[in-house]
Amino acid sequence: MLTVEHLQVSYGNTPVLKDISFSLNPSQTLCILGPNGCGKTTLLHALCALLPYKGTITYKGRSIATMKQKELARAFALMEQSNTSYFSYSVWDTVMMGRYQFMKKGLFLTTSKEDERVVEECLLLTQLLDKKDTPIHTLSGGQLQRVFLARTLAQDPEIILLDEPTNHLDLKFQVELLSYLKEWSEQKNRSVIGVFHDINLARSFSQQFLFLKEGKQMGFGNFDEFVTGDFLEQVYDMNVVSYMKESYEKWKTVKDL
């Protein structure tokens, strides 16, 4: 479905991504990990043609550079790590924005019964239907994150790109969110690419991993097939496995009810 070959991205004369190559099939999930500043968010932006790049990015055998904006919107939906809202839209209206590409265009945009059905379904999935009339500027960070997720889902894309999707979310909703995204991917034969910092959370979500460091690709593939303690130490400049084991030992002292 998606193939990236020798991708390079620069800001001015400063290289940010260098020779990135990977592929993703329908219904697959992919986690992008690496230290801060390694280019994870830049990669997401390049994948949906928000940044100029060198190399090739092909979607279903077609270069995204040749795709029109409406075609890109049907193929990709990007949920940013943070969103700034300048108008006090309601939750319902904000999520409805994800249906823009499906609306009838004229003097005024016209929503359909199908648009309303999809928006209601997305609000139910993100547990926000009871807040559909609430102005989004009054919501907590976690609630706002769920609104933008619902808007992303309403777009009904082939590939969802998520930048720290669990940011601001409590533990329960983190688990529920990732569980739903996996189910959405498998049932609809769609793909999800997510940027994560939490390795444990990422492992619960996917087996496909792409590790970056300083803009370079350190490894890509099935986690269990190429990731070792030495590899993680090379990526993060610390003994990640030792840290995880120490954390696990502390949790072993917690008694179950």
Side-chain angles (χ1 to χ4, degrees):
M1 173 182 279
L2 180 69
T3 303
V4 177
E5 295 178 303
H6 308 298
L7 179 69
Q8 300 178 59
V9 178
S10 298
Y11 292 137
N13 295 322
T14 305
V16 179
L17 292 175
K18 313 159 191 175
D19 198 22
I20 308 299
S21 298
F22 66 92
S23 61
L24 194 66
N25 295 322
S27 78
Q28 275 193 325
T29 55
L30 171 66
C31 295
I32 304 173
L33 282 87
N36 289 338
C38 69
K40 299 186 295 293
T41 297
T42 297
L43 176 56
L44 291 187
H45 288 173
L47 292 178
C48 53
L50 292 179
L51 290 174
Y53 63 88
K54 294 181 180 180
T56 59
I57 303 174
T58 56
Y59 166 73
K60 292 185 175 179
R62 182 181 175 189
S63 170
I64 67 168
T66 68
M67 296 172 66
K68 297 179 180 179
Q69 190 58 46
K70 188 173 183 179
E71 293 174 314
L72 286 169
R74 289 184 179 274
F76 302 94
L78 172 65
M79 181 178 139
E80 299 274 18
Q81 186 177 119
S82 60
N83 288 270
T84 302
S85 303
Y86 297 97
F87 300 96
S88 186
Y89 295 113
S90 69
V91 169
W92 178 272
D93 289 339
T94 302
V95 178
M96 184 61 75
M97 291 177 189
R99 300 296 298 170
Y100 176 80
Q101 59 173 316
F102 300 99
M103 294 179 188
K104 293 182 179 179
K105 310 301 189 295
L107 185 59
F108 300 101
L109 292 175
T110 305
T111 61
S112 66
K113 291 293 184 182
E114 176 64 9
D115 293 328
E116 294 175 0
R117 184 196 67 78
V118 171
V119 169
E120 183 171 333
E121 179 182 287
C122 292
L123 289 175
L124 278 169
L125 289 168
T126 51
Q127 301 173 28
L128 287 167
L129 189 58
D130 63 329
K131 295 188 178 295
K132 66 184 180 71
D133 298 318
T134 303
I136 62 173
H137 76 276
T138 66
L139 300 177
S140 68
Q143 290 171 328
L144 194 58
Q145 187 82 338
R146 285 152 55 190
V147 170
F148 291 124
L149 172 64
R151 184 179 65 183
T152 302
L153 293 171
Q155 191 173 323
D156 195 28
E158 295 286 334
I159 301 175
I160 288 183
L161 307 172
L162 303 171
D163 194 358
E164 286 293 320
T166 56
N167 194 27
H168 299 303
L169 299 180
D170 59 51
L171 183 59
K172 177 177 181 291
F173 200 81
Q174 287 181 26
V175 174
E176 290 177 351
L177 166 64
L178 295 184
S179 176
Y180 169 72
L181 286 172
K182 285 174 66 175
E183 183 179 348
W184 177 89
S185 173
E186 293 168 357
Q187 290 186 353
K188 293 202 170 189
N189 205 32
R190 310 289 176 85
S191 298
V192 181
I193 300 176
V195 164
F196 290 85
H197 277 296
D198 189 322
I199 300 176
N200 279 327
L201 203 59
R203 289 202 69 187
S204 71
F205 179 60
S206 178
Q207 272 296 104
Q208 290 293 110
F209 278 72
L210 173 66
F211 283 90
L212 303 177
K213 182 178 182 181
E214 297 177 350
K216 298 178 182 178
Q217 180 170 326
M218 302 296 289
F220 165 70
N222 186 291
F223 188 95
D224 294 334
E225 293 177 357
F226 78 96
V227 175
T228 64
D230 289 341
F231 172 82
L232 292 174
E233 187 166 356
Q234 184 182 5
V235 172
Y236 290 99
D237 295 320
M238 66 172 288
N239 191 329
V240 176
V241 174
S242 177
Y243 171 77
M244 293 293 187
K245 288 181 177 179
E246 289 174 8
S247 298
Y248 175 67
E249 289 300 319
K250 292 177 181 178
W251 279 105
K252 286 170 66 176
T253 64
V254 178
K255 296 180 180 179
D256 293 328
L257 295 177

